[in-house]
Amino acid sequence: MHIQISRKEEERKKKIKKKVGKYGEHSWATAVAWEAGKPLVIEEVEVAPPQAMEVRLKILFTSLCHTDVYFWEAKGQTPVFPRIFGHEAGGIVESIGEGVTDLAPGDHVLPVFTGECKECAHCKSEESNMCSLLRINTDRGVMINDGESRFSINGKPIYHFVGTSTFSEYTVVHVGCVAKINPEAPLDKVCVLSCGISTGLGATLNVAKPPKGSTVAVFGLGAVGLAAAEGARIAGASRIIGIDVNPKRFNEAKKFGVNEFVNPKDYDKPVQEVLAEMTDGGVDRSIECTGNIGAMISAFECVHDGWGVAVLVGVPNKDAVFQTHPLNLLNERTLKGTFFGNYKPRSDLPSVVEKYMSKELELEKFITHEVPFSEINKAFDYMLQGDSLRCIIRMDA
């Protein structure tokens, strides 16, 4: 997919760069997806000032998540183009709109694809992080304040993605989707906490809650699954079993505490039966991170009766149906789901950043590649080829 950037394109980008930072200018370099599956194009895009309850952020680092690729390929819901993707990032508040009181220019922040208004029933509940106002919406390409885009080229709108659109030197985000963090935290590392890593980590620590010394099975060893394994390591699990049909992932997974591996293709019986035999009746906890309905069923049926807990993280096909015998529930197995690891973005993400700062959480091992913004299409190449967990995109390069 990667294409060589022409000299003309390089000159055009230099002209764009000259505009960045000028007082009174609102046009900055942005990677625009004009069509599904086509390479992103660096464009000069007008980024309007923030309106009520919005902030404009200067993005310093962003990373590529598989969700960006999924919707860029138009495999998701309603295709919306032209669009600015990106939702894992770290940056600094540049300006604030009317009504914003808990953020100020210069604050270091993480924009998040979901939000926390702090006023709805979900936000007020200690048991939910699914904000009624700011819950993820992959179809909406505009701001909720006025139904308009803050991005445009020659007056024509360029659409937002999940309220963040971080593949841009500047972006506008609802204040409820911005987590203020420790200014000492390196943004080129903690930016990956905006989505996948927090989702997997929280699925283990906040939902599965494995006791120290327990046995944990992780289905799917991509970035989210490895984050779930990292959570099991932090919790003190004694056995962390990785389940994946790609044996190439097993060696990498050792860095995240995975100490046993199972490839379902190596057996002629359901993998839940294999795991039950390995663990004297079943694992204590399982976390499913694939979105495959068969893996979801296996993750539930492999936990031990009486106390086993299975947590579903992956998003299945819209037509998928989960089927299991009711006795699996009556025998005191527990099935749970999670969204963003049950973290409330504004309230909880700062403490996750502190886990990294205290060296309890290791983020460097998730970061496998780094590219300058001008070569953002390389990040897509790495992910499509299965070579990367997270590729950091440096916006100043």
Side-chain angles (χ1 to χ4, degrees), residues 33 35-37 65-81 83 85 87 136-139 161-162 380:
E35 297 179 59
C65 172
H66 188 265
T67 301
D68 294 307
V69 177
Y70 184 73
F71 283 91
W72 166 75
E73 292 178 322
K75 291 181 178 178
Q77 299 173 31
T78 306
V80 180
F81 293 94
R83 201 171 207 181
F85 289 102
H87 64 283
I136 184 173
N137 184 324
T138 56
D139 285 348
F161 178 63
V162 295
F380 282 75

Side-chain angles (χ1 to χ4, degrees), residues 106 244 258 365:
D244 203 296
V258 179
K365 56 194 178 186

Side-chain angles (χ1 to χ4, degrees), residues 28-192:
W28 289 285
T30 300
V32 178
W34 289 100
E35 297 179 59
K38 297 294 179 67
L40 307 188
V41 180
I42 304 294
E43 302 279 11
E44 179 181 332
V45 174
E46 178 89 5
V47 184
Q51 301 301 307
M53 301 306 292
E54 297 173 358
V55 294
R56 188 162 61 186
L57 309 178
K58 177 178 174 60
I59 300 297
L60 299 180
F61 301 94
T62 186
S63 64
L64 179 66
C65 172
H66 188 265
T67 301
D68 294 307
V69 177
Y70 184 73
F71 283 91
W72 166 75
E73 292 178 322
K75 291 181 178 178
Q77 299 173 31
T78 306
V80 180
F81 293 94
R83 201 171 207 181
I84 300 167
F85 289 102
H87 64 283
E88 284 189 351
I92 298 173
V93 175
E94 181 263 347
S95 57
I96 62 175
E98 180 184 351
V100 176
T101 58
D102 56 354
L103 288 173
D107 285 345
H108 286 222
V109 296
L110 302 180
V112 186
F113 66 92
T114 186
E116 181 185 356
C117 73
K118 297 193 175 183
E119 296 178 358
C120 70
H122 284 278
C123 286
K124 290 180 178 179
S125 168
E126 293 183 0
E127 299 181 32
S128 176
N129 67 337
M130 302 188 72
C131 177
S132 299
L133 178 67
L134 300 168
R135 191 179 304 184
I136 184 173
N137 184 324
T138 56
D139 285 348
R140 186 174 60 230
V142 294
M143 300 299 290
I144 62 173
N145 181 51
D146 58 3
E148 301 289 335
S149 173
R150 300 290 175 263
F151 301 108
S152 63
I153 296 178
N154 297 323
K156 295 183 179 180
I158 308 296
Y159 295 105
H160 296 249
F161 178 63
V162 295
T164 52
S165 293
T166 61
F167 292 166
S168 176
E169 289 185 304
Y170 285 78
T171 189
V172 176
V173 182
H174 191 284
V175 66
C177 297
V178 180
K180 180 180 176 180
I181 63 168
N182 183 345
E184 299 298 317
L187 290 173
D188 61 333
K189 304 297 189 298
V190 298
C191 65
V192 301

Side-chain angles (χ1 to χ4, degrees), residues 42 50 52 83 109 114 135 150 153 161 186 198-199 204-205 208 219 254 278 281 305-306 309 334 346-347 349 397:
I42 304 294
R83 201 171 207 181
V109 296
T114 186
R135 191 179 304 184
R150 300 290 175 263
I153 296 178
F161 178 63
S198 293
T199 296
T204 302
L205 296 179
F219 286 73
K254 293 177 183 177
M278 290 172 59
D305 58 4
V309 178
T334 300
R346 299 163 78 184
S347 299
L349 272 193

Side-chain angles (χ1 to χ4, degrees), residues 252-368:
E252 184 77 17
K254 293 177 183 177
K255 300 177 185 177
F256 300 84
V258 179
N259 46 32
E260 297 178 58
F261 306 96
V262 173
N263 184 341
K265 290 184 176 180
D266 292 341
Y267 300 89
D268 57 4
K269 55 186 172 183
V271 70
Q272 53 265 48
E273 294 181 15
V274 175
L275 292 166
E277 291 173 3
M278 290 172 59
T279 57
D280 192 24
V283 300
D284 301 307
R285 301 289 188 269
S286 72
I287 301 98
E288 187 285 323
C289 304
T290 71
N292 177 280
I293 194 65
M296 290 181 168
I297 294 168
S298 295
F300 175 55
E301 294 183 352
C302 79
V303 298
H304 205 290
D305 58 4
W307 62 79
V309 178
V311 179
L312 305 185
V313 181
V315 179
N317 182 286
K318 62 183 178 64
D319 297 321
V321 177
F322 187 98
Q323 292 182 313
T324 191
H325 198 284
L327 276 177
N328 288 320
L329 289 161
L330 295 173
N331 286 336
E332 300 184 2
R333 293 179 177 89
T334 300
L335 178 64
K336 293 185 174 183
T338 182
F339 171 71
F340 192 49
N342 277 43
Y343 287 119
K344 293 179 185 285
R346 299 163 78 184
S347 299
D348 298 334
L349 272 193
S351 64
V352 182
V353 170
E354 292 308 315
K355 284 183 183 294
Y356 169 74
M357 297 298 284
S358 65
K359 302 189 186 314
E360 182 181 0
L361 169 63
E362 300 171 9
L363 294 178
E364 285 82 358
K365 56 194 178 186
F366 288 98
I367 300 168
T368 53

